[in-house]
Amino acid sequence: MHEIRCTVDASDQHTFLFHLTMASRILFFLVSICLVFVSAASNANVVDRSVAIVNNDTITLSEVNELGRSFFKKVTEETPADRLPEALQQARNTVIDKLIDKKLLVQEAKKLGIQVSDQEVDNALQRVLANNKATMEQFHKELLAMGMTEKQYKEELRDQILSSKLINHEVRTKVVIPEEKILEYYQSNYTRQVGGGELHLQQIGCTWGEPLANGVVPSQDDAKEKIRKAYEKAKDGDDFNELAKKYSDLPSAEDGGDLGTFQLHELAPAMQQAVAQLKSGEISPVVQIDNGYHFFKLVSSQGGATVSKADYEAVKEEIRERLYKQAMEARFKDWVKSIRDKAYIKIL
């Protein structure tokens, strides 16, 4: 199963990243606009009719059924028979409600003169295929398995691009994250106070005789050479967090080798001997503990200090992006609510 990453360009060159899978692409789209299941039985022998009015537009029963068709089988398979009518009614209500949001977004885009060309849709589709190294033939097979046509998929892409452009125009450009908010987040999530007598340590360890995550079983010589390279780079001043992620075989590697804080007496004897005389920022000699070579960095002094997991400048943009997404989601919800409050909406 392929993971699809579809990035849609907007007029201001900002992009939205869509994390999809070929087998769940439609699920993501429907969930993202909260479209769920409706009864496929309604499709048969029923004259199409309007189910809701949104300003000057209508939502038809066929729209609801078409967008929910591929999931009706799933809901009927997973819902007990005695609960199925209720589940379908709830699904129908949710579909209509979220199709109302979709209609409102399209109407707002038209008011602002925002359009999506066929070429933009084709370009987006090509990016989906390229990002997943999939051929058009593979793509069609996946669509067939989902009970979806290429036309339907392209219409979903068109809606995503249109929404992206509209959000850029009305929401994204109005969100600003001030420096003080970034610093506040950093202090709350990347720093901590350690009291007197506590040692905040980082560790890099290279082991032998046991399989690593990639299945390779290193020899003792392999481990010795690996720790030598890491130690030399650490002594030369390379970033310890990155070295731990690259060279350490220990579970702490993904956290940059961060072990947390300890009292000296809480450490194993070999570790006590390695770190007891270190000053803040210093690196211990390499020591052998069981089937591994290890060395440590003393992040904080024993006198107590504010210590950080990462340098502020190194993570500032990552924090900014996280706060930006949170703020944009909140502003988007408020914006959609304001549009709904001003619209004429009637469910039939």
Side-chain angles (χ1 to χ4, degrees):
M1 190 172 293
H2 304 284
E3 179 185 327
I4 297 181
R5 294 178 178 267
C6 174
T7 303
V8 178
D9 294 320
S11 57
D12 62 354
Q13 300 304 309
H14 289 295
T15 58
F16 278 81
L17 182 65
F18 301 103
H19 298 282
L20 316 170
T21 62
M22 289 295 280
S24 64
R25 169 61 184 85
I26 187 171
L27 177 59
F28 175 88
F29 174 76
L30 295 180
V31 169
S32 70
I33 59 173
C34 297
L35 298 177
V36 289
F37 324 112
V38 292
S39 174
S42 301
N43 284 334
N45 302 318
V46 176
V47 177
D48 198 14
R49 62 182 176 84
S50 298
V51 295
I53 300 173
V54 185
N55 292 321
N56 294 324
D57 289 333
T58 60
I59 295 172
T60 65
L61 182 62
S62 61
E63 286 181 272
V64 175
N65 288 340
E66 181 178 357
L67 287 169
R69 183 188 304 125
S70 63
F71 287 94
F72 181 67
K73 181 179 179 181
K74 180 173 181 176
V75 76
T76 54
E77 288 175 349
E78 296 181 357
T79 305
D82 60 335
R83 292 177 51 202
L84 185 57
E86 178 185 359
L88 290 173
Q89 183 58 46
Q90 290 176 349
R92 179 180 181 276
N93 293 340
T94 303
V95 168
I96 294 173
D97 186 60
K98 298 310 172 180
L99 274 174
I100 289 171
D101 285 347
K102 180 181 175 184
K103 290 286 186 183
L104 290 171
L105 290 180
V106 172
Q107 290 171 4
E108 286 297 308
K110 288 181 178 179
K111 288 179 185 178
L112 295 168
I114 298 173
Q115 298 179 346
V116 179
S117 68
D118 292 341
Q119 187 61 54
E120 288 177 290
V121 175
D122 290 338
N123 291 343
L125 177 56
Q126 290 305 314
R127 284 195 297 274
V128 171
L129 298 177
N131 289 342
N132 294 273
K133 299 179 180 178
T135 65
M136 186 61 75
E137 182 180 358
Q138 292 170 326
F139 172 70
H140 283 146
K141 286 182 179 179
E142 294 292 346
L143 288 182
L144 182 62
M146 292 187 292
M148 190 177 189
T149 67
E150 182 177 337
K151 180 180 178 181
Q152 289 173 317
Y153 185 86
K154 284 186 174 181
E155 285 306 307
E156 291 180 4
L157 281 181
R158 187 184 300 276
D159 288 336
Q160 292 284 5
I161 298 169
L162 188 68
S163 296
S164 175
K165 288 185 174 184
L166 182 59
I167 292 168
N168 279 335
H169 188 280
E170 293 294 307
V171 181
R172 179 181 282 270
T173 56
K174 296 179 174 62
V175 175
V176 177
I177 305 300
E179 185 81 13
E180 56 266 28
K181 287 292 185 181
I182 301 174
L183 185 58
E184 180 182 330
Y185 186 94
Y186 174 79
Q187 291 172 341
S188 297
N189 295 274
Y190 285 83
T191 67
R192 62 181 299 185
Q193 288 292 126
V194 293
E198 289 186 323
L199 306 175
H200 183 190
L201 299 171
Q202 288 178 284
Q203 177 185 25
I204 293 177
C206 300
T207 61
W208 68 84
E210 296 180 357
L212 304 179
N214 59 9
V216 174
V217 180
S219 66
Q220 185 170 357
D221 287 341
D222 293 333
K224 184 180 294 186
E225 177 61 18
K226 191 176 182 182
I227 202 73
R228 181 190 65 78
K229 290 181 180 179
Y231 187 72
E232 288 180 355
K233 291 180 179 294
K235 295 293 284 185
D236 286 340
D238 286 16
D239 184 87
F240 200 95
N241 291 355
E242 296 304 317
L243 290 176
K245 292 175 183 179
K246 181 176 181 180
Y247 288 99
S248 184
D249 300 330
L250 307 177
S252 61
E254 63 183 40
D255 295 323
D258 188 17
L259 294 179
T261 57
F262 303 88
Q263 296 288 333
L264 185 63
H265 67 82
E266 294 176 326
L267 302 175
M271 291 179 64
Q272 289 186 34
Q273 185 177 357
V275 305
Q277 303 304 316
L278 294 179
K279 297 179 181 179
S280 180
E282 289 185 339
I283 295 172
S284 76
V286 175
V287 295
Q288 180 179 341
I289 302 176
D290 298 327
N291 64 323
Y293 294 111
H294 308 261
F295 64 90
F296 307 88
K297 179 179 179 180
L298 181 62
V299 180
S300 70
S301 65
Q302 293 189 17
T306 299
V307 297
S308 61
K309 294 182 178 180
D311 181 73
Y312 175 67
E313 291 298 326
V315 297
K316 182 170 70 172
E317 290 308 312
E318 176 184 329
I319 295 173
R320 187 193 304 278
E321 181 63 22
R322 183 178 293 118
L323 295 178
Y324 188 89
K325 288 180 179 179
Q326 293 173 359
M328 195 176 72
E329 287 173 4
R331 188 178 182 93
F332 177 73
K333 289 179 181 178
D334 291 341
W335 176 67
V336 171
K337 182 179 182 301
S338 71
I339 295 175
R340 287 190 70 125
D341 289 344
K342 293 182 291 186
Y344 172 76
I345 300 170
K346 182 177 181 180
I347 298 177
L348 304 175

